[in-house]
Amino acid sequence: MRISVIGAGYVGLVTGACLAKLGNKVLLIDINEGTVQAINNGICPVYEEGLAELLRQVKVEASSDYRRIIESELILICVGTISSKDGAISVGQVEEAAKQIAEVLKEKEDYCVICVKSTVTPGTTEEVVIPILEKSGRRIGTDFGVCLNPEFLSEAKAVRDFLNPARVIIGEYDERSGDMLLNLHKNLDVPVLRTDLRIAEMIKLASNAFLATKISFINEIGNICKQLGIDVYEVAKGMGLDERIGSKFLNAGIGFGGSCLPKDLRGLCARAREIGYEPKLLQEVLNLNDEQASKLIELLKKHITLKQATVGILGLAFKPETDDVRDSRATKIVKTLLEEGAIVKAYDPMAVENFRKLFPRIDYVPKEEVLNCHAILILTECQEFNDLDYKGKIVIDGRRIEKAREAQIYEGICW
Ligand code: UGA
């Protein structure tokens, strides 16, 4: 199939490269000339496990010229969405992409399907995207179709997730639109749910909200367990044996970050409020997540005075094996430490350059040097943190690194 992918960020690139691997002819469109050039020169502009290799294997072309999508049978919108001030998901880039596509539709003679993969709140495809596309003068259902196909890619495992998905959700304007998407996934052995556009939009948001809830839930159980002297990891193991609960996303700790879970949850809460519903549970999931970061600082203060103390940070990314620092736990914690007068020395195997853009003035040091600080905070569960010698140190652990327990003073955030 001839496919154009709009937006060569992390989702667009992974999607484009994987679809090329599945035998499609893929054109990536991005307004950033640097990104376009990098891709055309065989350089992968983002870090994602296995992606650079895949881009070298497959043939994917990039361009900043929207007119080139005119040959496409399928156009995937993979641009980013962000949180606006009130938490609502802002879809400016999706609107802009739809406008550019509408310009091309005016000239396009054959039928094509436009599919939104960006995460949007329920109703956006029908109320925002379709009206823009219809301004082209072409008729939906006859000249073009529309789908909403949410992505369920976890960073650091995105290529694997794309090629071995747990499920494919096809939100379709009509059967003809959905058939095109179904055809795209025909070589993957995967359960498919075909549904309408708004349900598909909600499945994505509700899935991320559920994962976030599971994390805040186990963190709250952990906070109670810590007071009672019970090991929450053993509790989670026992709970996870029940298939209805499942063992994944029950790792208690310092909470969730990243560009998806917090943004999508805030977006769902904002949408609920717009329609007059107060999302009490979901808001509390966010509150608990915020408090979990503050809790780590409180535990630290039990052991040292922050003013003038050196505090070592292990883990700056929002999770291991990525260089992504968006909404990472470290951003919040480092900010508080600096406000309280501490001197921060930080290490991450991949994310230092991105973190430096946010905090240019803290010290970035090798991991061994972090150990020389007055106290050490562990903020991601990087495997290599299990190889350090913590003897004689003060460690406050937000992620359950077993080796750190040998520290002279060791406290887990909720164990
Ligand atoms: C998340 C979802 O897992 C994907 O399914 C979804 O497609 C993606 O968002 C998206 O909407 O694009 P991602 O943001 O890459 O993926 O990260 P996760 O692996 O979900 O981790 C999110 C955060 O939760 C991390 O900070 C992680 O450390 C934390 N976490 C995860 C916990 O604190 N405990 C756990 O048990 C699991």
Side-chain angles (χ1 to χ4, degrees):
M1 202 183 288
R2 292 185 306 277
I3 302 171
S4 288
V5 178
I6 314 295
Y10 134 86
V11 172
L13 261 176
V14 172
T15 303
C18 290
L19 287 175
K21 186 179 166 70
L22 295 174
N24 300 287
K25 188 169 184 313
V26 175
L27 171 69
L28 285 163
I29 298 287
D30 201 287
I31 49 171
N32 184 325
E33 284 291 349
T35 302
V36 167
Q37 268 178 26
I39 298 166
N40 288 336
N41 291 333
I43 299 163
C44 182
V46 298
Y47 178 78
E48 178 61 39
E49 173 81 32
L51 184 58
E53 226 177 310
L54 187 57
L55 278 171
R56 277 194 297 274
Q57 277 169 24
V58 297
K59 205 172 161 298
V60 174
E61 211 191 325
S63 171
S64 55
D65 183 1
Y66 267 88
R67 284 170 303 185
R68 294 203 41 206
I69 69 176
I70 197 147
E71 312 257 290
S72 306
E73 296 155 82
L74 178 63
I75 301 165
L76 300 174
I77 299 181
C78 294
V79 295
T81 53
I82 50 166
S83 271
S84 59
K85 266 210 176 101
D86 63 352
I89 295 181
S90 158
V91 292
Q93 288 190 45
V94 175
E95 286 179 62
E96 186 50 35
K99 280 182 198 155
Q100 299 284 350
I101 295 166
E103 283 304 307
V104 179
L105 278 184
K106 285 180 189 166
E107 316 290 324
K108 192 162 166 55
E109 279 165 15
D110 47 352
Y111 177 85
C112 69
V113 170
I114 294 104
C115 171
V116 179
K117 281 187 84 70
S118 307
T119 301
V120 295
T121 35
T124 305
T125 307
E126 277 173 4
E127 291 155 26
V128 179
V129 177
I130 291 177
I132 294 174
L133 295 173
E134 283 179 320
K135 281 197 185 136
S136 64
R138 313 288 288 174
R139 278 166 309 153
I140 187 165
T142 315
D143 300 323
F144 68 93
V146 170
C147 283
L148 185 294
N149 171 228
E151 57 88 8
F152 299 107
L153 311 175
S154 286
E155 280 187 43
K157 299 191 178 74
V159 172
R160 186 207 66 183
D161 283 352
F162 193 99
L163 296 171
N164 308 286
R167 81 287 212 197
V168 169
I169 305 294
I170 300 177
E172 54 195 39
Y173 171 79
D174 57 8
E175 204 177 333
R176 190 179 177 195
S177 313
D179 284 348
M180 182 82 89
L181 259 282
L182 190 66
N183 193 19
L184 190 65
H185 295 94
K186 66 174 188 282
N187 293 330
L188 300 175
D189 180 21
V190 53
V192 175
L193 177 71
R194 294 179 71 160
T195 182
D196 70 24
L197 296 165
R198 293 157 66 92
I199 291 174
E201 288 166 327
M202 192 53 146
I203 288 172
K204 165 70 191 209
L205 284 189
S207 297
N208 275 358
F210 185 78
L211 293 174
T213 305
K214 216 173 166 190
I215 297 168
S216 275
F217 171 85
I218 198 65
N219 288 346
E220 178 146 83
I221 296 291
N223 293 341
I224 300 168
C225 281
K226 185 173 167 79
Q227 299 284 327
L228 295 174
I230 294 168
D231 183 354
V232 63
Y233 271 68
E234 287 298 306
V235 173
K237 205 191 278 173
M239 287 171 62
L241 292 174
D242 183 333
E243 267 183 11
R244 293 169 304 172
I245 297 174
S247 59
K248 293 186 179 150
F249 275 69
L250 281 184
N251 295 321
I254 196 182
F256 57 84
S259 64
C260 305
L261 262 45
K263 175 198 64 153
D264 293 355
L265 198 50
R266 283 195 289 264
L268 186 51
C269 288
R271 184 76 186 111
R273 288 194 184 101
E274 263 171 37
I275 51 167
Y277 180 85
E278 183 52 36
K280 294 197 196 81
L281 172 67
L282 300 181
Q283 184 55 50
E284 206 45 48
V285 169
L286 283 167
N287 297 346
L288 275 162
N289 197 49
D290 268 351
E291 284 163 22
Q292 212 63 5
S294 315
K295 206 177 258 301
L296 196 85
I297 303 275
E298 292 312 312
L299 288 178
L300 176 65
K301 282 184 180 168
K302 266 176 44 189
H303 301 286
I304 63 166
T305 306
L306 289 184
K307 204 160 176 50
Q308 301 298 325
T310 53
V311 179
I313 306 283
L314 290 175
L316 299 170
F318 83 97
K319 65 178 185 182
E321 291 170 62
T322 174
D323 63 357
D324 194 342
V325 299
R326 285 176 289 176
D327 235 328
S328 82
R329 304 275 75 193
T331 51
K332 188 171 157 60
I333 285 172
V334 168
K335 185 166 175 279
T336 312
L337 289 173
L338 294 175
E339 282 164 3
E340 302 237 3
I343 299 153
V344 175
K345 292 182 186 279
Y347 170 80
D348 188 286
M350 292 180 182
V352 166
E353 286 323 308
N354 284 337
F355 206 81
R356 201 194 292 277
K357 290 176 200 152
L358 304 175
F359 294 92
R361 275 193 272 279
I362 65 169
D363 273 350
Y364 296 91
V365 297
K367 55 190 166 196
E368 291 74 16
E369 222 174 288
V370 168
L371 296 179
N372 295 332
C373 292
H374 291 118
I376 300 143
L377 301 179
I378 302 179
L379 306 187
T380 63
E381 66 274 32
C382 281
Q383 209 29 54
E384 62 182 79
F385 298 161
N386 264 307
D387 302 330
L388 296 172
D389 180 4
Y390 297 93
K391 285 191 209 87
K393 314 289 178 196
I394 300 175
V395 177
I396 315 294
D397 187 359
R399 294 293 183 188
R400 185 78 164 212
I401 295 293
E402 286 302 327
K403 184 81 184 315
R405 285 171 176 274
E406 63 185 32
Q408 187 179 351
I409 296 176
Y410 173 86
E411 273 221 49
I413 180 153
C414 47
W415 53 90

